[in-house]
Amino acid sequence: MMLLDRIHCPADLRRLSHVQLDELALEIREFIVDAVSRTGHGHLGSNLGAVELTLALHRVFDSPRDILLWDIGHQAYVHKLVTGRRRAFDTLRQAGGMSGYPCRDESEHDWVENSHASTIISYAHGLAVAQESGIGEGRRVVAVIGDGALTGGMAYEALNNLGHSGKKAIIILNDNGRSYAPTVGRMSETVSRLRVDPRYVRQRARVEDAVRKVPYVGDHLAWGMQGALAGMREMLEPPVFFESLGMKYTGPIDGHDIAGLETALRHAAELEEPIVVHVLTDKGKGHAPAEADDVKRMHDIGAAKPGSYTAAFTEALIKEAENRPELVAITAAMPDSTGLLAFNDAFPGRMIDVGIAEQHAVTSAAGMAMGGLRPVVALYSTFLSRAFDQTNLDVGLHGQPVVFCLDRAGITGDDGASHHGVLDMVLLSKVPGMAIFAPSSYQEVQQMLHDALEITSGPVAIRWSKTAAPHVAEAEVGSGMRGRKVSSGTDVCLIGVGKLLAACTEAAEVLEAEGISCSVWDPRVVHPLDPALVADATGHPLVVSAEDGYRDGGIGATLADEVAEATLSRPAGKRPLVRVMGIPTRYLDQGKPDAILAGLGLDATGVAAEVRRALGR
């Protein structure tokens, strides 16, 4: 019988010896590699590196009585495993299955979903304030932050506030050497551990008290002792930074030594003030392919697929950069997923990775544009929402020609509600002067990037989905700011944004067979809309638009307004009926993108059904 078979809740871990725990850690790594490989997707490297840390946390602290928080949440697979969710791994990141992040609906052990990085110390501060407010229950608050999350500015804002509040919370800095890796020697390790050992703290207080009682010179001796200790810290401890923020600090600690971790965590738990416990781990530990992956230690097992929209962007960006020495690319900790690694290889020094700092990325891009460069900011659609203020006021207000290339726009699937890119068109269409392109094919991405770089009067966004990109002939590629009419009809005008052009085209074929004549438009530029598209739409009794962004406030809503304005002078019975199809304003669970869209009626079947319903058929 495997040890893992005996683990059903955190209390079971406390019955094991340290020798057994080391064996359990091996079993857990094998289980996670198998589970992620079997389902074909999931986060691997970060979880393999956090095995011993998670076991130590659950032995020292009493979850869910004590509050364990994770940032980023994709390093919580081991936490899920030891809190009774082993069988659910067969459904990892599948429709109706277990989330790839902590999930409040799944378990009382999960507090925060947290799939957008750098937020957990703020949660910890808030929970710590609540615990000491008089209405809290005195729970201990422990937040694990790592895997690059400490590169985000919000984490430092929270550290500053938490430290100066003095509220009791334990912040575990899970340093896997991939982002934040200070060099600390053995002497510093010994001194810093000693300083938070409760026995040392109590003994030092007694000694200082005794020294102060020495007649005449006691205060001077105490000041001298404090000065000597402070001097030793300055010489031997780099983490003066944390202490300047009001945080105690201990570490670095071997993140794969369970006994050492437990000792450090117990000492930290005895302090009545906030503390950072610095833990060193190896991302991808115990899995040779992950340890050999120099790019991301098998952070996940996905990659940009040939023929995808991302691959089209990579190819187009390299081509444009060959003729535009002023072109630079910016990303926020995702050079691989956004397709920039090949660009960086081709043009060393022209790709800038700012870490998980989207706000900084956007404002920095504005500065680069002001200085004569042509910045291309490559982000996931969902992460641009973190920098909307900067997009609006730092780029838009100043009319800077920054090009935003938004990957994973629309329904992304496996990562769930936090990663669907359904806000970009709603938000960006409200930035004055912003142009928004939505490619419907591989070839359109390349044309649109070229056209976007030709625009110098203001910002441009190009948004594309995670799914495969259709390949089309040259005659099916538009240009400039114009839409492209795919087919002509008389009964209904179908307008499909981006990947939903395919749904509208297929629906038109079905409807034509039923005697319903259809025009189909690829708008290409969804903001501002092509006046020719709007004019053509007004010549149909029915107009149906379909988009993979929020319906409320989206592109279809703008189209409806423009059609209504253009036909205002007509008699009421002669004005087109406009039906807007899009994503409802609610959080959508994980699942395959096409299945989610079909469930929302945003496939060919759903579009055809909407047309029939509107025509009373």
Side-chain angles (χ1 to χ4, degrees):
M1 183 179 185
M2 296 177 61
L3 284 171
L4 186 55
D5 295 330
R6 295 159 51 182
I7 306 302
H8 305 289
C9 66
D12 294 332
L13 297 173
R14 302 180 194 117
R15 302 185 181 99
L16 302 182
S17 68
H18 284 108
V19 172
Q20 290 175 309
L21 288 169
D22 289 338
E23 182 181 342
L24 177 64
L26 293 174
E27 293 179 6
I28 287 174
R29 286 192 170 90
E30 291 177 1
F31 177 88
I32 290 176
V33 170
D34 179 66
V36 172
S37 300
R38 191 164 9 94
T39 59
H41 48 166
H43 295 95
L44 190 59
S46 51
N47 287 289
L48 296 177
V51 175
E52 289 85 0
L53 173 59
T54 306
L55 297 179
L57 283 166
H58 276 291
R59 279 167 58 87
V60 172
F61 299 99
D62 182 20
S63 175
R65 162 69 187 176
D66 292 328
I67 301 170
L68 300 186
L69 308 169
W70 303 88
D71 188 351
I72 303 171
H74 58 48
Q75 64 182 313
Y77 286 15
V78 185
H79 164 77
K80 286 175 177 262
L81 189 56
V82 302
T83 53
R85 284 171 274 181
R86 180 179 177 180
R87 292 184 179 179
F89 273 83
D90 288 337
T91 65
L92 177 64
R93 301 175 80 220
Q94 298 175 28
M98 187 172 74
S99 171
Y101 302 96
C103 177
R104 290 170 65 92
D105 292 335
E106 277 182 14
S107 173
E108 62 181 346
H109 295 276
D110 294 358
W111 283 78
V112 178
E113 194 264 7
N114 200 260
S115 55
H116 285 204
S118 313
T119 64
I120 212 66
I121 302 176
S122 297
Y123 280 113
H125 172 254
L127 283 162
V129 170
Q131 297 312 304
E132 298 182 28
S133 66
I135 61 172
E137 301 176 2
R139 301 180 179 198
R140 294 179 291 187
V141 179
V142 184
V144 180
I145 184 168
D147 202 12
L150 207 64
T151 61
M154 186 175 174
Y156 293 100
E157 296 172 22
L159 278 170
N160 180 55
N161 205 243
L162 174 61
H164 286 91
S165 75
K167 301 300 181 184
K168 181 177 180 178
I170 300 170
I171 308 301
I172 312 295
L173 171 52
N174 180 14
D175 178 0
N176 55 35
R178 309 298 289 180
S179 55
Y180 181 83
T183 303
V184 184
R186 290 184 179 273
M187 179 69 77
S188 170
E189 180 178 343
T190 301
V191 172
S192 58
R193 286 189 186 185
L194 175 66
R195 290 182 57 251
V196 295
D197 187 323
R199 293 169 296 178
Y200 166 75
V201 173
R202 289 192 293 269
Q203 185 64 25
R204 190 183 72 179
R206 284 195 290 268
V207 170
E208 287 184 6
D209 185 60
V211 168
R212 289 185 185 278
K213 292 179 179 177
V214 175
Y216 304 112
V217 295
D219 285 341
H220 294 286
L221 290 174
W223 293 337
M225 185 175 73
Q226 290 173 351
L229 289 170
M232 185 170 66
R233 288 200 301 271
E234 293 289 344
M235 287 189 297
L236 301 177
E237 297 181 35
V240 172
F241 170 77
F242 289 108
E243 301 204 344
S244 71
L245 297 175
M247 305 286 297
K248 284 283 190 181
Y249 172 94
T250 184
I253 296 158
D254 182 352
H256 304 295
D257 174 10
I258 296 177
L261 284 166
E262 290 178 4
T263 298
L265 293 173
R266 288 193 178 98
H267 287 169
E270 291 188 33
L271 293 177
E272 296 298 324
E273 55 190 314
I275 180 172
V276 172
V277 180
H278 185 178
V279 175
L280 299 179
T281 61
D282 296 323
K283 190 172 185 178
K285 182 176 175 62
H287 185 51
E291 292 175 331
D293 180 1
D294 290 332
V295 176
K296 56 181 182 178
R297 294 291 177 91
M298 291 191 77
H299 173 81
D300 51 39
I301 60 174
K305 297 177 175 59
S308 66
Y309 284 101
T310 305
F313 166 64
T314 301
E315 182 181 320
L317 188 67
I318 291 173
K319 181 179 179 181
E320 291 294 333
E322 290 172 351
N323 301 313
R324 299 177 188 267
E326 72 279 10
L327 190 154
V328 293
I330 307 168
T331 191
M334 288 192 167
D336 180 41
S337 303
T338 56
L340 293 184
L341 288 182
F343 174 85
N344 188 52
D345 291 341
F347 304 100
R350 290 171 65 180
M351 193 273 285
I352 302 165
D353 184 352
V354 301
I356 303 175
E358 293 86 357
Q359 293 173 311
H360 164 64
V362 172
T363 301
S364 178
M368 293 178 198
M370 290 175 179
L373 295 175
R374 289 307 311 273
V376 175
V377 180
L379 301 171
Y380 283 11
S381 169
T382 184
F383 295 134
L384 182 66
S385 63
R386 308 186 82 179
F388 177 69
D389 181 76
Q390 289 72 26
T391 302
N392 181 34
L393 298 180
D394 298 344
V395 174
L397 179 64
H398 295 89
Q400 294 304 309
V402 174
V403 178
F404 296 92
C405 290
L406 306 182
D407 208 319
R408 273 71 166 175
I411 299 298
T412 58
D414 306 329
D415 283 314
S418 62
H419 276 56
H420 294 311
V422 292
L423 266 171
D424 56 83
M425 290 188 289
V426 172
L427 294 175
L428 295 180
S429 61
K430 310 307 180 290
V431 176
M434 175 74 74
I436 307 173
F437 290 77
S440 59
S441 68
Y442 191 98
Q443 288 72 22
E444 281 281 19
V445 173
Q446 300 176 324
Q447 180 65 47
M448 288 178 178
L449 181 61
H450 176 78
D451 291 341
L453 289 167
E454 291 294 303
I455 296 172
T456 59
S457 57
V460 181
I462 312 173
R463 45 118 47 206
W464 57 80
S465 71
K466 184 180 179 180
T467 50
H471 286 249
V472 300
E474 184 177 350
E476 297 177 67
V477 179
S479 63
M481 300 289 287
R482 297 181 298 276
R484 182 176 67 87
K485 193 171 186 179
V486 177
S487 61
S488 298
T490 57
D491 296 324
V492 58
C493 181
L494 301 177
I495 300 165
V497 172
K499 70 170 288 181
L500 292 193
L501 174 65
C504 289
T505 302
E506 292 173 28
E509 293 174 359
V510 172
L511 293 168
E512 290 281 356
E514 299 174 7
I516 301 174
S517 179
C518 302
S519 293
V520 178
W521 274 86
D522 178 357
R524 300 187 66 254
V525 183
V526 296
H527 184 80
L529 288 167
D530 182 356
L533 181 156
V534 176
D536 186 70
T538 64
H540 298 74
L542 175 63
V543 180
V544 177
S545 68
E547 61 194 289
D548 57 350
Y550 278 151
R551 177 185 181 279
D552 297 337
I555 302 309
T558 300
L559 172 68
D561 284 345
E562 294 193 16
V563 168
E565 182 68 24
T567 58
L568 194 60
S569 61
R570 296 184 190 177
K574 299 295 184 180
R575 299 171 192 165
L577 172 65
V578 180
R579 302 295 300 166
V580 177
M581 302 182 69
I583 307 297
T585 306
R586 68 171 191 259
Y587 297 113
L588 298 173
D589 291 333
Q590 64 198 26
K592 294 302 179 185
D594 288 344
I596 293 174
L597 288 170
L600 297 171
L602 292 170
D603 61 353
T605 301
V607 172
E610 180 67 14
V611 170
R612 295 189 197 100
R613 188 169 74 89
L615 293 176
R617 302 286 182 94

